[in-house]
Amino acid sequence: MRIYKLVGIVLTALLLLASCADSDPDKKKVKIAYANWLEGIAMSHLAKVVLEEQGYEVELQNADLAPIFVSISGKNSDVFLDAWLPITMKDYMDQYGDSIEFLGEVYGEARVGLAVPQYVAINSIDELAANKDRFSSEIVGIDAGAGIMKTTDKAISTYGLDGYTLMTSSSSTMLASLKKAMDRGEWIVITGWTPHWMFDQFDLKFLDDPKKVYGDLEEIHAIAWKGFSKKDPFAAEFFANIKLTTEELSSFMTAMKDARMDEEEIARKWRDEHRQLVDSWIPKSDNFEISS
């Protein structure tokens, strides 16, 4: 028994040594957190491959939204590229904003709200109450911690949608439910947002929001823990420089959805196809001292 314990200790020590050997102490390190949303997956993997070209060691950390904000504010993650503001993630910013700094606006024409197929004969959220039976008293949503789910809870209260249940699922499950309903010509209402390929693949429309629960256009921001830009000004400026148009982001998300390769390979391919754009994000290294 003692021999087995000794072997276990030796193997553990060897694994620890191997893990230390894999990490280059001379490399600058960045930890990027991301949620399971296609635009965030795409942008995070792209940032990883670009920073690695610049000599960085990049760790991607996948988590739900609430743990991401906890991790950023606690400096366990460095950067989050998918903060939707001013409405969608307002609650998280209210809670953690004192420990967070803004690096830059990545995309400025995002929108969130409730969406239905074009054939559904209503056009406004305030028409949902009178058509509860047609929608089976359900609003089909995504994961419970998502900002759009919190806002939809407010919409249910604000618009008096008594009797409606906000269904929690994943985005893939929500979209599978959408496809099934549309194949049958049934009425369905989902939590929708752009940019997203759902509006390219399905004939959808946003319901009007006269009470502005979901606000107007949203912005997608890169955020970090407060003080990150002083610790690593080169990386901070790189993240601040990332700007994507609707066409660019949509093409990237479609590539992520359709390609039969892993996310990092897709990111490298998209980077190579948009080399001039990506190179414009990279700060002039002469202005920075990059050290570990």
Side-chain angles (χ1 to χ4, degrees), residues 59-124:
E59 178 185 343
L60 295 184
Q61 302 171 323
N62 179 231
D64 290 333
L65 194 57
I68 284 174
F69 273 86
V70 171
S71 188
I72 291 286
S73 64
K75 301 184 181 181
N76 295 312
S77 302
D78 295 314
V79 177
F80 178 50
L81 289 167
D82 206 11
W84 288 55
L85 297 165
I87 300 295
T88 305
M89 298 183 189
K90 180 180 184 297
D91 288 348
Y92 291 107
M93 289 305 301
D94 287 346
Q95 188 171 356
Y96 300 105
D98 289 345
S99 303
I100 287 172
E101 68 178 36
F102 287 88
L103 300 179
E105 179 187 299
V106 178
Y107 179 76
E109 298 180 12
R111 183 179 177 185
V112 297
L114 297 182
V116 298
Q118 284 284 356
Y119 59 73
V120 170
I122 69 169
N123 295 296
S124 178

Side-chain angles (χ1 to χ4, degrees), residues 210-222:
K211 298 183 180 180
K212 300 295 182 184
V213 175
Y214 293 94
D216 293 310
L217 287 180
E218 291 273 276
E219 301 162 354
I220 300 177
H221 288 266

Side-chain angles (χ1 to χ4, degrees), residues 23 36 97 152 197 223 262:
S23 181
N36 283 324
T152 301
W197 57 264
I223 61 172
D262 69 35

Side-chain angles (χ1 to χ4, degrees), residues 129-193:
N131 291 277
K132 184 170 60 175
D133 293 341
R134 296 296 303 270
F135 292 105
S136 301
S137 303
E138 292 179 354
I139 298 171
V140 185
I142 55 172
D143 53 287
I148 194 172
M149 296 291 279
K150 295 176 180 291
T151 309
T152 301
D153 278 329
K154 294 176 185 175
I156 289 172
S157 174
T158 301
Y159 284 96
L161 303 180
D162 301 329
Y164 270 90
T165 300
L166 177 57
M167 306 297 292
T168 300
S169 65
S170 65
S171 58
S172 58
T173 301
M174 179 189 76
L175 293 170
S177 298
L178 173 65
K179 183 180 186 305
K180 183 178 178 181
M182 292 186 71
D183 286 346
R184 297 176 176 179
E186 297 171 348
W187 285 27
I188 184 172
V189 56
I190 65 169
T191 54
W193 63 94

